[in-house]
Amino acid sequence: MATSTAASSLSLLFSHPHSRQPSVRGPAAGSHLRLPPRASPSRPRCASSDTTATKHRRPAEENIREEAARLRGPAQGFSAWYEPFPPAPGGDPDERYSLDEVVYRSSSGGLLDVRHDMEALARYPGSYWRDLFDSRVGRTAWPYGSGVWSKKEFVLPEIDSDHIVSLFEGNSNLFWAERLGREHLGGMNDLWVKHCGISHTGSFKDLGMTVLVSQVNRLRRAPLSRPINGVGCASTGDTSAALSAYCAAAGIPAIVFLPADRISLQQLIQPIANGATVLSLDTDFDGCMRLIREVTAELPIYLANSLNSLRLEGQKTAAIEILQQFNWQVPDWVIVPGGNLGNIYAFYKGFEMCRVLGLVDRVPRLVCAQAANANPLYRYYKSGWTEFQPQVAETTYASAIQIGDPVSVDRAVVALKATNGIVEEATEEELMDATSLADRTGMFACPHTGVALAALFKLRDQRIIGPNDRTVVVSTAHGLKFTQSKIDYHDKNVKDMVCQYANPPISVKADFGSVMDVLQKNLNGKI
């Protein structure tokens, strides 16, 4: 009979370049969200509810932004501002800044955080906010059809809808990972993957960038008319893609600093295609970050990295969206890949805000998952939070979290301590094997999702996460952005890696007998 051989290279196809542990109930340790006693609330409608209640089609000559302006109701008195994070010992307890100021650090040089007028928000019961947010899901009423701006009152309550720059981001799929949980994770029956990468530019960064670019748009326009000539960022790929797309939509120049030869071609082409000024620098992400901070200190360019806490206000809506998708029931665990570490804090902030305002009664336990080649938070956690030591990150397939000196480490520590959280790591082989297993059950995961999945495998093996725990793994980017990692793995072209789940194509002669031999061999005689 004719024989066939396994292809040695994917160039055949690619020829071009807990026992259940309880969630955290009651006031989270260190929570910065505090409420006064709640008065008996009246139930007035927010201005936005009028836009979703109408059943009449808008006039043909009117677009959805103009319709929103026409239907705008009175201001509801909600507000937000910047405060130091954490408050500096001996610092000014009244230090705060308007969101309309261009400021990135406190007077002591620390981070800032966006704080909301929780007393004003608490005038409405949790049931009101649940109903309001649910009423906006999937609509086209501007800007509430966005998964971010459907929670506008919790994000940027004072921004005019006409200043918002939205690509209808968010509302991403919550995928029931039935087969992965059942067959590979000891019978987990409540395992979910939050596909934040199913978004306009293919990553969760859209959630934060819509907020930041909207605020820049507000600052540039009358009556504020701030002299901001562009928006800049350092990036490992996904931030630059999101910034470039939203700036292109708003007509604002974007400037991107990228580490040369350290991001995927798919990530690189996005800011180029969107018209950004792209600088490829012979350094790593941390070097790019130092340079962009120096440049934005000298030029009228607005800094878009997660040092800027505005982005976290958008990213926290993914946590609120998870609660919505579970009909406002709280999962037991949420596992988030961690690089610059703003996202783990954003998830905590979203969950905690909902708890404080009565939308839910507890928060989940959080897990931050890091690549072993870029794991400063994991080392800090293992030291008992005694000493944080930045590192020079080594190369990892999870390139978007290849960061050795994360800006938001203090934010991450607050989130993890408040939720009795855990930090876990994944080697290159562990993250790629986890990615491949997930793909074999119907996903198409990015390497960063592989890091989070590998952490889940370890926590299941340690029996920290139980088979019946409702667990959400956050997938931060679309797998199509990282196809080279999959090509290398299935080609078994990774040094010192077994690639045990590799599935290379098979080279077969173009005749019936050869094809039948291969099918019978590979399908174990089932045909």
Side-chain angles (χ1 to χ4, degrees):
M1 298 289 289
T3 60
S4 63
T5 59
S8 61
S9 172
L10 287 184
S11 60
L12 286 168
L13 299 179
F14 301 95
S15 60
H16 54 82
H18 50 127
S19 74
R20 180 180 295 269
Q21 301 197 29
S23 301
V24 182
R25 294 178 178 270
S31 171
H32 61 270
L33 303 177
R34 293 287 185 261
L35 289 180
R38 176 181 290 163
S40 298
S42 59
R43 292 179 58 89
R45 296 163 61 193
C46 277
S48 58
S49 62
D50 289 338
T51 66
T52 56
T54 180
K55 296 182 180 180
H56 303 290
R57 182 171 177 174
R58 66 180 184 276
E61 67 277 7
E62 183 179 67
N63 65 37
I64 58 174
R65 194 185 292 273
E66 293 165 339
E67 178 188 39
R70 174 171 56 82
L71 297 175
R72 183 185 297 119
Q76 296 297 310
F78 305 129
S79 61
W81 56 87
Y82 295 120
E83 284 187 6
F85 178 92
D92 180 0
D94 297 322
E95 182 180 357
R96 65 166 63 180
Y97 305 90
S98 166
L99 297 186
D100 291 336
E101 293 187 56
V102 179
V103 57
Y104 310 115
R105 288 194 178 274
S106 68
S107 60
S108 64
L111 297 172
L112 295 172
D113 195 24
V114 175
R115 300 294 176 91
H116 289 260
D117 184 348
M118 299 297 286
E119 183 174 355
L121 292 170
R123 290 200 296 264
Y124 304 91
S127 59
Y128 171 79
W129 294 117
R130 291 194 301 266
D131 291 345
L132 178 66
F133 296 161
D134 285 346
S135 73
R136 294 168 171 172
V137 173
R139 305 296 181 92
T140 58
W142 183 264
Y144 305 107
S146 158
V148 172
W149 297 108
S150 64
K151 290 91 176 166
K152 180 178 180 291
E153 295 82 1
F154 284 20
V155 179
L156 285 187
E158 296 173 277
I159 193 170
D160 191 290
S161 293
D162 193 48
H163 294 157
I164 289 174
V165 183
S166 174
L167 303 175
F168 283 81
E169 52 288 312
N171 295 321
S172 58
N173 179 35
L174 188 61
F175 172 82
W176 181 33
E178 178 184 16
R179 187 177 165 214
L180 182 66
R182 182 182 68 240
E183 297 183 12
H184 301 293
L185 283 159
M188 289 191 77
N189 61 10
D190 214 355
L191 174 62
W192 302 79
V193 177
K194 178 61 172 169
H195 277 302
C196 294
I198 302 178
S199 192
H200 185 75
T201 72
S203 89
F204 79 97
K205 300 294 179 71
D206 293 354
L207 304 178
M209 208 56 73
T210 180
V211 177
L212 183 141
V213 175
S214 294
Q215 180 64 12
V216 171
N217 194 39
R218 168 183 164 91
L219 295 176
R220 282 165 52 95
R221 293 172 62 175
L224 297 174
S225 302
R226 296 292 176 82
I228 297 172
N229 295 341
V231 187
C233 75
S235 178
T236 52
D238 291 331
T239 300
S240 64
L243 174 66
S244 302
Y246 282 86
C247 282
I252 300 172
I255 301 95
V256 171
F257 288 10
L258 297 174
D261 302 321
R262 301 192 188 206
I263 69 171
S264 73
L265 288 175
Q266 292 87 345
Q267 291 172 301
L268 176 61
I269 196 60
Q270 288 181 279
I272 291 173
N274 285 136
T277 298
V278 179
L279 279 65
S280 179
L281 304 176
D282 186 20
T283 184
D284 59 8
F285 169 80
D286 298 308
C288 290
M289 187 67 210
R290 285 190 293 271
L291 284 168
I292 194 67
R293 287 168 64 179
E294 292 174 11
V295 168
T296 54
E298 295 295 326
L299 298 177
I301 297 172
Y302 194 87
L303 180 64
N305 283 96
S306 56
L307 175 66
N308 188 319
S309 55
L310 282 174
R311 280 175 46 196
L312 305 185
E313 293 305 291
Q315 290 167 211
K316 78 183 181 188
T317 62
I320 304 173
E321 198 168 279
I322 287 171
L323 297 175
Q324 275 187 288
Q325 289 169 310
F326 284 131
N327 197 25
W328 301 102
Q329 297 175 356
V330 181
D332 298 301
W333 297 89
V334 176
I335 305 176
V336 185
N340 219 15
L341 302 180
N343 212 25
I344 189 76
Y345 177 68
F347 270 80
Y348 160 68
K349 195 173 184 183
F351 288 128
E352 177 66 357
M353 195 169 186
C354 286
R355 187 197 67 79
V356 171
L357 291 172
L359 284 76
V360 295
D361 63 354
R362 62 188 186 278
V363 299
R365 293 186 68 182
L366 298 180
V367 178
C368 186
Q370 292 206 294
N373 285 358
N375 64 349
L377 184 69
Y378 175 77
R379 296 182 186 188
Y380 192 18
Y381 171 76
K382 284 297 186 180
S383 76
W385 305 120
T386 58
E387 183 180 4
F388 176 74
Q389 294 184 334
Q391 66 182 95
V392 177
E394 300 177 37
T395 301
T396 171
Y397 276 114
S399 58
I401 56 175
Q402 186 179 313
I403 298 171
D405 190 10
V407 167
S408 294
V409 59
D410 292 337
R411 291 169 172 154
V413 173
V414 166
L416 291 162
K417 287 184 176 180
T419 62
N420 190 23
I422 294 171
V423 186
E424 190 52 85
E425 67 171 355
T427 66
E428 293 301 287
E429 187 156 22
E430 288 169 343
L431 74 89
M432 289 304 297
D433 282 347
T435 300
S436 183
L437 269 180
D439 290 352
R440 282 174 170 256
T441 63
M443 283 184 262
F444 195 73
C446 70
H448 319 87
T449 307
V451 173
L453 288 168
L456 172 60
F457 275 94
K458 289 184 174 183
L459 295 173
R460 282 289 293 119
D461 288 343
Q462 298 165 28
R463 298 187 178 182
I464 294 174
I465 295 180
N468 297 321
D469 289 354
R470 175 171 286 177
T471 303
V472 178
V473 173
V474 177
S475 178
T476 53
H478 202 295
L480 286 172
K481 283 191 166 190
F482 302 93
T483 53
Q484 189 60 51
S485 65
K486 296 180 185 294
I487 292 170
D488 291 346
Y489 184 90
H490 290 289
D491 197 23
K492 294 191 173 182
N493 189 29
V494 185
K495 185 179 179 181
D496 300 326
M497 191 180 294
V498 175
C499 304
Q500 61 177 313
Y501 304 113
N503 182 34
I506 301 170
S507 178
V508 188
K509 290 182 179 179
D511 65 73
F512 179 78
S514 298
V515 170
M516 288 298 293
D517 281 351
V518 170
L519 293 179
Q520 288 176 348
K521 177 181 178 181
N522 284 272
L523 297 177
N524 299 317
K526 293 180 181 178
I527 59 172

